[in-house]
Amino acid sequence: DIQMTQSPSSLSASVGDRVTMTCRASQGIGNSLAWYQQKPGKAPKFLIYATSTLESGVPSRFRGSGSGTDYTLTISSLQPDDFATYYCQQYYTAPPTFGGGTKVEIK
Amino acid sequence: QVQLQESGPGLVKPSETLSLSCSVSGGSISDYYWTWIRQPPGKGLEWIGYIHYSGSTTYNPSLKSRLTISLDTSKNQFSLRLSSVTAADTAVYYCARTDMTIIRYGVDVWGPGTTVIVSS
């Protein structure tokens, strides 16, 4: 299985901050990467696929980038609704695997 | 829009079989890959497997020997059976829809999740 490692595991930030989190794959995944947002007690929400394509309805402050083994999710100006845990998922090979998550907390 | 709802026992004894169903409403079960994902308490997401509406399945190799995912198109439902459970199978279980085409991939619709505890 391809291992996905997210960093940091948590971060503290303020509303309006620019936030960046990374996801590293144990081997190249050819941009086959998705991102999800999960709030406590809720199911994840689909945000981004193919590394950088925003799902319909996702605000443009979310931006995905990367290639090869290294990928990034950036939130350009953190909003109160963005405090959550973010997971990456590779779908290059089965089984699709998730990273361990990055929790974005209020500073 | 499509909505999913899990159902099944919240408590299962060790060594027994965990059985869950997922009802699909607001849309057809045709197309798409109907997926199970779980999340142990305080931990991350684990992909369990999916079934295509054609009936083909793909399972997580770590669970494959204990796992069956099936589809009932007449009822617009799909199901999960996981045998010989242990405490390590305690988790919130999500049913979900995966859209997997040449141009788009994502688990884009999720059920609310159901908690399953394995305990005697």
Side-chain angles (χ1 to χ4, degrees), chain B residues 3-112:
Chain B
Q3 293 185 310
L4 307 180
Q5 180 65 57
E6 305 88 354
S7 60
L11 180 65
V12 182
K13 289 182 169 56
S15 80
E16 295 190 345
T17 296
L18 182 163
S19 295
L20 297 174
S21 293
C22 182
S23 294
V24 180
S25 61
S28 172
I29 209 162
S30 297
D31 279 327
Y32 302 107
Y33 292 77
W34 301 97
T35 305
W36 290 96
I37 291 166
R38 70 182 182 180
Q39 186 169 35
K43 296 189 178 180
L45 301 166
E46 180 181 23
W47 185 86
I48 297 172
Y50 56 56
I51 185 166
H52 187 246
Y53 84 103
S54 64
S56 68
T57 54
T58 302
Y59 296 155
N60 190 323
S62 69
L63 299 170
K64 187 174 183 177
S65 64
R66 302 191 288 132
L67 182 62
T68 302
I69 297 177
S70 59
L71 190 65
D72 187 336
T73 55
S74 66
K75 294 183 178 179
N76 248 30
Q77 284 183 350
F78 61 106
S79 300
L80 164 77
R81 286 175 56 87
L82 184 67
S83 64
S84 304
V85 296
T86 70
D89 295 310
T90 293
V92 175
Y93 285 76
Y94 294 101
C95 65
R97 185 183 82 174
T98 300
D99 184 21
M100 186 161 53
T101 68
I102 198 165
I103 59 171
R104 181 175 181 270
Y105 173 98
V107 185
D108 62 351
V109 181
W110 298 69

Side-chain angles (χ1 to χ4, degrees), chain A residues 12-47:
Chain A
S12 295
S14 301
V15 172
D17 284 353
R18 178 184 178 92
V19 167
T20 298
M21 63 195 79
T22 64
C23 180
R24 174 166 288 176
S26 59
Q27 65 184 74
I29 58 171
N31 289 350
S32 298
L33 187 89
W35 289 96
Y36 301 84
Q37 176 195 66
Q38 186 180 34
K39 297 181 179 179
K42 300 294 186 183
K45 174 187 174 183
F46 179 42
L47 295 179

Side-chain angles (χ1 to χ4, degrees), chain A residues 64-106:
Chain A
S65 61
S67 63
T69 60
D70 295 328
Y71 298 83
T72 298
L73 176 66
T74 299
I75 307 172
S76 60
S77 177
L78 199 64
Q79 298 301 300
D81 191 49
D82 301 337
F83 291 96
T85 300
Y86 293 84
Y87 293 94
C88 62
Q89 181 199 31
Q90 69 79 23
Y91 51 93
Y92 185 69
T93 61
T97 44
F98 292 93
T102 292
K103 185 175 183 179
V104 178
E105 299 175 300
I106 301 172

